[in-house]
Amino acid sequence: MSIHDELDRTRQALHALDQAVAGLRGRLGPHLDVLRLMDDVARCTADLRRLEQQVRAPRRQELVVIPDDDRDHGLWGAGDVDHEGLGAPGRRAP
């Protein structure tokens, strides 16, 4: 089953759940737990809609170009940069 089929099945299930919760509200009125269920279904529906947009949108892959030329060694302070860490010349581990 493809991802689009799964999204369609999920949308149909959420629609059926929304109808069932609306039926509960019709029988029980604005009961706190029914209202919370309605909010949960609305949130799940919004999340699914956002997910569908992400999946169905064409994916753009940005290509990062890393130049092959040498780096500018002048950026390193022309030798007067302090060495840090244990890999510095003349230092030993404690």
Side-chain angles (χ1 to χ4, degrees):
M1 187 173 287
S2 74
I3 186 68
H4 300 294
D5 294 337
E6 291 291 339
L7 289 170
D8 290 339
R9 283 183 54 202
T10 306
R11 188 179 340 96
Q12 290 169 359
L14 274 174
H15 181 69
L17 181 61
D18 187 39
Q19 289 179 335
V21 172
L24 284 175
R25 181 179 172 143
R27 289 187 179 266
L28 298 174
H31 189 275
L32 177 62
D33 291 327
V34 174
L35 295 175
R36 289 179 60 191
L37 277 173
M38 291 176 69
D39 287 342
D40 291 343
V41 172
R43 182 184 46 80
C44 287
T45 302
D47 290 346
L48 179 63
R49 195 173 305 123
R50 211 171 16 256
L51 182 62
E52 286 176 325
Q53 290 172 352
Q54 292 173 5
V55 168
R56 292 188 173 150
R59 294 184 181 193
R60 288 180 263 146
Q61 293 182 357
E62 277 190 41
L63 193 60
V64 177
V65 178
I66 300 173
D68 288 335
D69 55 340
D70 286 335
R71 292 181 173 82
D72 181 9
H73 293 285
L75 294 174
W76 302 105
D80 62 345
V81 177
D82 291 336
H83 292 284
E84 296 179 7
L86 297 176
R91 291 195 187 164
R92 292 191 293 180

